[in-house]
Amino acid sequence: MKQYQIAVIGSAGSEEYPYDKPLAAMFEAAEKIGQLLAVNKLIVVCGGKGGVMEAVSRGAKSAGGITVAEIAGLSRWAANDYIDVEIVTGDLAFRGPSQLIAMSDAVIALGGGSGTLQEICVAYRLQKPIILLRGFGGWVDKLSPVSFLDERRLVKFYQATTPENAVQKALSMLK
Amino acid sequence: MKQYQIAVIGSAGSEEYPYDKPLAAMFEAAEKIGQLLAVNKLIVVCGGKGGVMEAVSRGAKSAGGITVAEIAGLSRWAANDYIDVEIVTGDLAFRGPSQLIAMSDAVIALGGGSGTLQEICVAYRLQKPIILLRGFGGWVDKLSPVSFLDERRLVKFYQATTPENAVQKALSMLK
Amino acid sequence: MKQYQIAVIGSAGSEEYPYDKPLAAMFEAAEKIGQLLAVNKLIVVCGGKGGVMEAVSRGAKSAGGITVAEIAGLSRWAANDYIDVEIVTGDLAFRGPSQLIAMSDAVIALGGGSGTLQEICVAYRLQKPIILLRGFGGWVDKLSPVSFLDERRLVKFYQATTPENAVQKALSMLK
Amino acid sequence: MKQYQIAVIGSAGSEEYPYDKPLAAMFEAAEKIGQLLAVNKLIVVCGGKGGVMEAVSRGAKSAGGITVAEIAGLSRWAANDYIDVEIVTGDLAFRGPSQLIAMSDAVIALGGGSGTLQEICVAYRLQKPIILLRGFGGWVDKLSPVSFLDERRLVKFYQATTPENAVQKALSMLK
């Protein structure tokens, strides 16, 4: 019954993303990614907050998928309304980002601030397949000109320009 | 879509449980607990190994439930065949037991060695409802004469003697 | 310059230990253990709170030793006044107890409630040498009649009746 | 007896840093930072491996300081020879980087690959003072043109061009 688990990471929302790009397009893309992952019977793993996290979960649930979120703190019922399984991970920045990545078979990133960048670092170091969906600004767009996060060349970034493309790349890299 | 998450904890299997009690009865009880939790739309959270963990997951899946397991190490696909969502938690004894308990709304324990006892300590300190299902030996039976794990009296142990009784107690304590 | 690191674990203080045993004797024993470990050039690792933790640290500092404490939460300067190095470990019951034990080469326990019991479980599972200093009640005295924490017999408890005896046993088991 | 704890982060060594900058200069700078921190009675916190980590520890010990390292894995005695206190943090990329930063009062970074970048993300999110010592390439030089890691502007990067300057900035920001 185990299915592939795909992390989708990106910005929580407008308050941390006062941005020159329209947020609506980014959230729409995230929702589409969630739908496509669910249609392909993949479990969505994400943070439990708003923004990209809520959009991807809403998309996955609309297609009958399973959604798993990590949330900071020790309190239950802190995730958004589209989450099935809630992983309580304790204090901010400490464990949650690594937990989310470690349990995933591939990572799709779009937009993103410092939390997303931290997750990309962990994914790179754990050599998870990483797909950068360009076009929504943030750290994903800053990173997309490069192929590797450092000189060790542990794992190459895959570039995507549409949600369809990003999910297809993730699917192609699952073992 | 969030549902209550119930941890079911107990021994991995015979190799760590060379016991005067018949293991088959303990596993049967665990399977029954899994069924009852799933029938009541509760998510089962457990370790991903064999023994009680596999039995409770098998029971939950037989009734259409969702199962979540934490596994030690960083490798995926390490859990038994009845697990839907696999949480990779890193090194043994380090984080997994606390992770499993922290994300749960109540804890049902039966049998159990040192890992189960560690989990009961965490549950007690985080003040989760704890139900001890007696009759299968191990630390649960050793603890069942007492009501509290220490003098702070943080949370009282609930006693159960049947799987039905244990699940009913867990249900009654959910907020 | 690395030295052996010895965990000393026990009760935080009277509020969690409303006890028939005099606390003063337990704290005196902890202070003596700290002194002896420092005299033997061993680093003391403990929780950063009061009670046994403060007493063992005070003892170690009085003999010129180095003391390391783990503290729950993310705030610095939370440990008692006798701590040199403060390890901030995040939320209660989640990581600190395992962190403290994992970095230690042997564990000396006296008195103790649920937190100490959790640490003993971790030490047993990580197969660290464990010395139970009897006579101060709590989980250490409850465990001292047995030799192993479960049927797997991973590591045998050593029994001690005086601080001198406990430190000597710890020294004899270092590799 | 508690002293300020300063994280010094950077590349482990040449194998992960096949670089156009001379490594010797970077290690010399790290050693100087260690000396200056120790002279100012600050505890050095770092990773326990080679490269910048070993250099800063050697510098600190040459000036009589205390050094603390986090190491991945669960095995003791894995750190370099200039470490006093060894914090065993479990699996790679999972917990160690956050542990190191969370226990620090300020962070000095130089050079650096993906691990250093992960640590900078954690420091930024936990709002620790961050000093970027430019001139040795890596992520520190890539980041030094910007003042903030993302649009939330949680904490401003401080720029330094010499070890003396970096330590002085760290000192000035301690509360």
Side-chain angles (χ1 to χ4, degrees), chain C residues 8-13 16 26 50-53 108-113 115-116 119 140:
Chain C
V8 183
I9 58 177
S11 307
E16 62 182 64
M26 181 167 70
V52 161
M53 311 175 211
I108 299 174
L110 68 169
T116 301
E119 289 161 345
V140 165

Side-chain angles (χ1 to χ4, degrees), chain B residues 55-74:
Chain B
V56 70
S57 307
R58 192 172 50 236
K61 292 312 296 178
S62 76
I66 293 178
T67 54
V68 180
E70 62 86 10
I71 50 170
L74 287 179

Side-chain angles (χ1 to χ4, degrees), chain A residues 115-133:
Chain A
T116 302
L117 181 59
Q118 181 184 346
E119 289 160 346
I120 291 173
C121 291
V122 175
Y124 176 83
R125 296 177 75 202
L126 295 178
Q127 303 191 36
K128 304 282 183 180
I130 302 167
I131 296 100
L132 303 180
L133 174 52

